[in-house]
Amino acid sequence: MHRILKRQIEKTLGKDKDSPELQQLLQLVSDTYDHFDEDRRLLDRSLSLSSAEFLEKSRNLIEAKERIEEIVHERTQELRKTQARLIASIESLSLGFLILDEKGTVFLGNRMFDEILGIQSSDNISQIDQQLGDKLKLKPMFDESISSHQPLNSRNMVFGKQALSVYVTPIALHMSKIIGAVVIIEDSTKERQIDKAKTEFVSLASHQLRTPLTIVKWHTEAMRNKIKDKPYEAIIKKNLDQINDGTKRMIALVQALLNASRIELGKIAIVPELLNLPEFAHGIVEELRLEIQEKNIQISEVFQPNLPKINADPNLLAIVIQNLMTNAIKYTPPKGRITITVEKIDTENLELIITDTGYGIPREDQAKIFTKLFRADNVKLLKLGGTGLGLYITKSIIETAGGKVSFTSPVDPASKETPGSTFHATIPLNWAPRKDGSSLSSEDNDLLYT
Ligand code: ADP
């Protein structure tokens, strides 16, 4: 029995301490007390054990926390360095650079942006537009780019005395979520001036070259006519013919250069008049009849009946049809076929289609065919002569009139036949007049004293 407890109970109860009931009760209480003691010891042990474990774990936690803090510190330093490098790079750009969030608030920009535009740095794109008056309108471009998810650019916009190119590119976070846009401004004034000076030089040089060349041509023709009935002059006649051919080719080249430079300087005058396109095209086919017959080429004219008249510039239209027809004749071997079709494709446009059975355009050259001075390798080898300017001029004229040019040339290396090409020119029924330039010409004689 628990001794201390027994003594306490006996002292409290005094008499009757030996009665069996009391002894039993004492025994019960004492047992319970012993159990309680035992439990308490167990509890004490387990408590001391778990507190050691707890201490161990919290030590581990503290260490882990310190390691994480170290890593975060290192990463933050790295990020700061990268950010500093990025900002320094953006600052050293010779372009104006701006990053905006999707609402148009400026997130990051460089000094050059404000310098090029001559403005104070602003918090958002509307403020930039306000500072610029109505001179550039960046906000509408920004809005359109954000809503269409497409990059936009405007090249060589006139901004006071400067020429500026503006590029707006949306920033997509993932899938289609747009979180802002980058705006880049380039001051292209110098490049524009150099480009313009180059074009002006070509224009001037071609203009100057044209007159003496035409005089040479005139006089050789005149001499050729004078000696035409005198047989002893056969050799001279041959020489004169060769001079004449060479001069004609040079005049054509100079004329093409002049036309191309006038186009580049934005100096083409459009003076529209009412024309019947099938009749007009037929007239040009007739002018080329000699070349067609020389190569024994079969020609078909497929004109949709009752087509409306078009309001177009006859000079420019003639250059387009002549270029496309001359190419079809030149790049088709003898005994080939050419079909010229005119049809209505919608309420505002007619389509001119010229199909040939010629050498075709190699796939690797197709993307460059409308670029200035480009000639495909397959025809360069044939020594057919050409300037590489005809299609460039054709495309510029059609696009100035509001139309489009395209072509197809099926490439089948296995086929023994020449693949042929088909050129399509969409010709608007109504060309907008523009009278502030010089008219282009495919003729040389009438230009002698212009
Ligand atoms: P070019 O004076 O060389 O004919 P163009 O600008 O008219 O200049 O044409 C550019 C090039 O496009 C030609 O050199 C030729 O390689 C190709 N080309 C144009 N039309 C045709 C055609 N109908 N068939 C095959 N190649 C063509």
Side-chain angles (χ1 to χ4, degrees):
M1 186 183 292
H2 198 282
R3 269 181 304 115
I4 303 169
L5 182 69
K6 190 176 169 213
R7 225 180 297 132
Q8 283 290 329
I9 295 172
E10 283 174 356
K11 202 169 139 195
T12 316
L13 292 174
K15 55 187 175 33
D16 289 340
K17 63 181 185 222
D18 294 325
S19 78
E21 291 86 359
L22 185 64
Q23 283 302 318
Q24 203 176 350
L25 183 67
L26 274 175
Q27 187 62 43
L28 269 171
V29 173
S30 172
D31 286 352
T32 313
Y33 205 82
D34 280 345
H35 277 303
F36 173 72
D37 262 1
E38 181 71 11
D39 285 352
R40 210 187 58 198
R41 266 194 307 278
L42 280 172
L43 194 66
D44 277 354
R45 245 182 57 216
S46 78
L47 264 176
S48 71
L49 269 177
S50 57
S51 68
E53 211 177 309
F54 174 75
L55 272 176
E56 172 70 17
K57 287 212 165 121
S58 56
R59 236 193 329 269
N60 288 348
L61 271 176
I62 289 168
E63 274 171 24
K65 180 182 159 254
E66 280 169 1
R67 269 202 310 278
I68 290 171
E69 275 175 356
E70 240 171 68
I71 294 171
V72 169
H73 181 72
E74 275 170 24
R75 296 282 185 278
T76 314
Q77 290 298 100
E78 275 172 28
L79 267 176
R80 286 214 177 103
K81 271 192 211 152
T82 316
Q83 195 187 17
R85 256 186 250 131
L86 189 72
I87 292 176
S89 317
I90 292 173
E91 268 307 321
S92 61
L93 284 174
S94 57
L95 303 165
F97 185 93
L98 203 64
I99 302 180
L100 303 149
D101 70 8
E102 77 280 13
K103 293 195 184 95
T105 309
V106 174
F107 172 70
L108 181 68
N110 66 358
R111 233 175 313 127
M112 203 42 135
F113 189 90
D114 304 330
E115 251 171 52
I116 292 178
L117 297 178
I119 55 169
Q120 305 284 325
S121 65
S122 312
D123 294 336
N124 63 57
I125 196 149
S126 306
Q127 278 179 14
I128 297 175
D129 269 1
Q130 261 169 26
Q131 288 197 58
L132 294 171
D134 260 347
K135 281 191 283 178
L136 211 53
K137 297 206 171 101
L138 294 176
K139 171 101 171 50
M141 263 182 95
F142 168 82
D143 288 343
E144 198 188 326
S145 172
I146 292 275
S147 62
S148 67
H149 293 200
Q150 293 296 326
L152 292 181
N153 57 55
S154 287
R155 282 172 216 272
N156 294 324
M157 294 160 81
V158 180
F159 182 72
K161 284 184 181 156
Q162 288 165 282
L164 297 186
S165 298
V166 181
Y167 307 85
V168 182
T169 309
I171 309 169
L173 190 57
H174 53 79
M175 305 288 280
S176 53
K177 175 127 175 62
I178 299 289
I179 54 160
V182 172
V183 180
I184 291 176
I185 304 233
E186 185 184 17
D187 187 345
S188 38
T189 317
K190 265 211 186 101
E191 288 79 356
R192 274 276 288 176
Q193 279 166 350
I194 294 170
D195 240 30
K196 195 163 172 245
K198 269 196 308 197
T199 314
E200 274 169 354
F201 169 74
V202 174
S203 179
L204 195 77
S206 340
H207 194 84
Q208 299 299 322
L209 276 169
R210 202 173 42 167
T211 310
L213 280 171
T214 313
I215 293 170
V216 173
K217 180 177 165 267
W218 254 30
H219 290 285
T220 27
E221 270 171 4
M223 277 165 73
R224 172 79 176 73
N225 284 336
K226 276 184 203 143
I227 61 166
K228 77 169 176 266
D229 302 323
K230 304 196 170 112
Y232 61 91
E233 301 289 5
I235 292 180
I236 300 177
K237 264 200 263 175
K238 201 172 159 217
N239 288 347
L240 287 177
D241 280 346
Q242 275 169 354
I243 296 175
N244 203 17
D245 280 357
T247 322
K248 267 195 206 156
R249 276 209 303 280
M250 266 205 270
I251 290 174
L253 171 63
V254 167
Q255 187 59 58
L257 280 173
L258 187 59
N259 284 348
S261 54
R262 278 180 181 160
I263 285 169
E264 278 164 22
L265 291 169
K267 281 190 185 167
I268 338 180
I270 299 182
V271 189
E273 57 186 72
L274 270 185
L275 300 168
N276 177 319
L277 184 56
E279 266 174 28
F280 193 82
H282 176 74
I284 290 173
V285 172
E286 283 310 307
E287 282 171 22
L288 297 168
R289 191 55 76 184
L290 200 68
E291 284 96 318
I292 295 169
Q293 277 165 0
E294 268 174 8
K295 285 186 89 173
N296 210 351
I297 285 175
Q298 189 192 322
I299 206 133
S300 313
E301 288 167 80
V302 183
F303 299 143
Q304 188 181 333
N306 306 321
L307 286 174
K309 286 198 168 178
I310 62 169
N311 197 24
D313 183 309
N315 273 333
L316 299 178
L317 193 59
I319 294 176
V320 167
I321 306 178
Q322 269 167 11
N323 279 339
L324 295 177
M325 273 305 294
T326 323
N327 281 349
I329 299 167
K330 192 163 54 169
Y331 302 122
T332 298
K335 298 197 184 133
R337 278 190 323 280
I338 296 176
T339 307
I340 172 162
T341 307
V342 179
E343 58 190 30
K344 189 161 183 236
I345 48 161
D346 56 42
T347 49
E348 281 157 25
N349 298 286
L350 299 188
E351 181 138 81
L352 170 80
I353 307 162
I354 297 180
T355 302
D356 62 55
T357 57
Y359 306 113
I361 298 159
R363 182 171 293 145
E364 61 275 18
D365 290 334
Q366 294 195 352
K368 290 172 259 166
I369 217 73
F370 290 108
T371 13
K372 209 167 29 168
L373 301 173
F374 182 80
R375 307 198 66 216
D377 285 339
N378 64 331
V379 305
K380 268 200 272 184
L381 297 173
L382 298 169
K383 302 221 162 40
L384 291 167
T387 61
L389 286 169
L391 286 183
Y392 170 74
I393 292 173
T394 301
K395 183 169 187 272
S396 310
I397 292 177
I398 290 290
E399 287 179 356
T400 309
K404 274 191 283 206
V405 231
S406 60
F407 70 91
T408 52
S409 183
V411 191
D412 177 8
S415 165
K416 287 211 170 66
E417 303 213 338
T418 48
S421 318
T422 301
F423 280 81
H424 295 257
T426 309
I427 306 202
L429 289 174
N430 265 307
W431 295 20
R434 211 178 73 183
K435 300 199 174 151
D436 53 346
S438 11
S439 82
L440 303 191
S441 176
S442 58
E443 299 295 321
D444 49 87
N445 295 338
D446 59 335
L447 294 170
L448 187 52
Y449 299 111
T450 60

